Amino acid sequence: MPYAPTLAWKGLEGPEEAHLVATATQRMAKYSEFLRIPSVSALPEHAADCRAAAEWLAVELRRIGAERVEVSETGGHPIVVAEKIVDPSLPTVVVYGHYDVQPGDPLDLWKTSPFEPIVRDGRMLGRGSADDKGQIVIHLSALEALVGTRGTLPVNVKYLFEGEEESSSINLEAWMAANPERCSGDAVIISDSGFFDGNRPALTVGLRGITYIQVDVRASDVDLHSGSYGGSVVNPANALAAMIASLHDANGRITVPGFYDDVVELTPADRAAFAALPFDEANYLAGIGASATAGESGFSTVERRGGRPTLDVNGIWGGFTGDGSKTIIPAHAHAKISCRLVTAQDPEKISRQLEAALRAAAPAGLHVEVQNLGNGDAFLTPLGDPYLTAAAGALEATFGVPPLYIREGGSIPIAALFQKRLGLPVVLLGFTPPDDNAHAPNESMDLGNFEGGIRAVIRALDAIATIG
Ligand code: BES
Ligand code: ZN
């Protein structure tokens, strides 16, 4: 049974509650201001907007009492760092979020305009409202309430807000290596994930990795008359379709040689955990207007989504796509393909294997180019970590039920970076409900989750302060 949606959350016991209530209107105004900046990291024409969002964050962080606030260069979109170190003997928590967003299109499917946020039916609507600006505002609001009432924090906090998460965080690793002190601490909280079902809180304990490529195929210098040339030369669009079709077998398994070699198979305990989730397939399908599930045989839908690797075409184009008909053999065709990966698949290795499989499937006469557009490692964290337990307690105290522990199909490349490169425990404490339409038209954030999220962050920081 899905958990009955409720906007209920429990206010704080201390003076922070009154502070949060008194500043609610101002908070919504700031949230809207942030959402109005179209910081789309993938589109070069929005580079100045990305910088504006970073500057906006820096101004906010300074206003609410953060220190050492800096808009730090990466070679791409800047990273905003700040901190509040109250006592070196206390734990230091690194808080991560991303201020970049996905493009707003397709605009015609939005009920409102993506960068003109509006509150409707208890939700904030707008691109980035959930993924991930709303979750950054949750942390800023928690900081503001704590500093505004206690004048201090229960723990030390370092903030790291990047601007390239939606473009595979391409400059992040090098930046972290060059700025180790700005991302060092005892644990990391990433707020860029969400709940599992309805308003029931969840802690994400697994994320998939990713590799993303673009393949461009070409067979002639110009489009050809399909009557004069059809049947005599290779058609790049036909060929690309066949190459892509060859990457799966009839059971939905990926046929790229070596693809499954490093996959850590799901254990009986993993499978039991997936089976225990309150997943309602009919609801899931109805929510997206789909009529059937699909994928690798032998696994349930939640397993395929959270615990198995995939290969998907994200976009495919070539030839004549206008109205009416035009009889040509296109000169070239293109596809963007990504694989979601699980531990311990190496994204770079998979990218090379995928390229090799595509080349092997290409017919004579077809020129194939493949470029890698990004990689990110999968993430899995053990249950029972004290920081995870602290976050679980904070969620239960706020939302009235214990959180579910879930594995998500999405990717947050920095999670594995923090875990593997810096050896830090990583807690994915996110607040967006599953129907938030992240990356899609009409993205929104449930304001109950938003307000509850602020209380949960404060409770989590208080709980972390007691970890010895
Ligand atoms: N917030 C998402 C990641 C996410 C998605 C977490 C679903 C939990 C559930 C993040 O902003 C995102 O979309 N990441 C990209 C990363 C990619 C571009 C490397 C993704 O997963 O597509
Ligand atoms: Zn995100």
Side-chain angles (χ1 to χ4, degrees), residues 248-306:
H248 284 98
D249 69 15
N251 294 318
R253 290 216 13 130
I254 294 150
T255 55
V256 174
F259 185 86
Y260 291 99
D261 284 359
D262 300 323
V263 169
V264 175
E265 294 297 331
L266 296 175
T267 63
D270 291 336
R271 301 197 77 170
F274 275 118
L277 291 172
F279 180 66
D280 182 327
E281 194 147 296
N283 244 351
Y284 179 70
L285 288 171
I288 52 174
S291 57
T293 57
E296 186 185 4
S297 59
F299 295 93
S300 70
T301 302
V302 272
E303 286 174 342
R304 294 196 307 270
R305 195 182 58 169

Side-chain angles (χ1 to χ4, degrees), residues 283-453:
N283 244 351
Y284 179 70
L285 288 171
I288 52 174
S291 57
T293 57
E296 186 185 4
S297 59
F299 295 93
S300 70
T301 302
V302 272
E303 286 174 342
R304 294 196 307 270
R305 195 182 58 169
R308 295 295 296 169
T310 57
L311 185 154
D312 279 296
V313 173
N314 301 102
I316 183 164
W317 69 102
F320 178 67
T321 55
D323 288 339
S325 61
K326 185 182 182 200
T327 46
I328 53 151
I329 293 184
H332 46 84
H334 315 265
K336 291 186 188 270
I337 304 175
S338 63
C339 295
R340 296 287 173 173
L341 308 173
V342 298
T343 44
Q345 288 178 297
D346 172 2
E348 281 171 33
K349 185 171 157 192
I350 298 290
S351 178
R352 286 194 300 273
Q353 289 170 338
L354 175 56
E355 174 172 356
L358 284 164
R359 288 190 185 283
L366 192 74
H367 178 78
V368 179
E369 271 179 40
V370 176
Q371 32 166 336
N372 180 288
L373 299 181
N375 293 317
D377 283 339
F379 165 84
L380 205 53
T381 193
L383 298 180
D385 174 87
Y387 290 93
L388 197 66
T389 307
L395 285 170
E396 181 166 1
T398 305
F399 294 99
V401 282
L404 296 166
Y405 292 92
I406 59 175
R407 288 202 203 182
E408 273 291 359
S411 309
I412 307 175
I414 196 179
L417 273 181
F418 270 120
Q419 190 187 47
K420 286 187 199 158
R421 305 282 151 85
L422 303 180
L424 296 181
V426 176
V427 179
L428 295 169
L429 178 61
F431 303 99
T432 64
D435 53 352
D436 63 4
N437 288 339
H439 295 204
N442 305 309
E443 178 176 350
S444 71
M445 174 91 183
D446 179 320
L447 291 174
N449 288 36
F450 173 78
E451 289 293 327

Side-chain angles (χ1 to χ4, degrees), residues 98 100 130-132 165-166 191-193 411-412 439:
H98 62 91
D100 63 320
D131 184 10
D132 182 39
E165 197 276 344
E166 302 290 9
S191 292
D192 188 22
S193 56
S411 309
I412 307 175
H439 295 204

Side-chain angles (χ1 to χ4, degrees), residues 140-184:
L140 300 186
S141 305
L143 174 68
E144 186 173 10
L146 284 167
V147 173
T149 52
R150 302 185 201 174
T152 186
L153 299 180
V155 291
N156 304 310
V157 181
K158 291 183 177 176
Y159 295 95
L160 194 171
F161 299 132
E162 74 154 315
E164 298 185 322
E165 197 276 344
E166 302 290 9
S167 324
S168 300
S169 301
I170 34 183
N171 293 298
L172 186 60
E173 193 168 0
W175 183 91
M176 282 169 75
N179 297 276
E181 183 263 333
R182 304 280 347 216
C183 34
S184 63

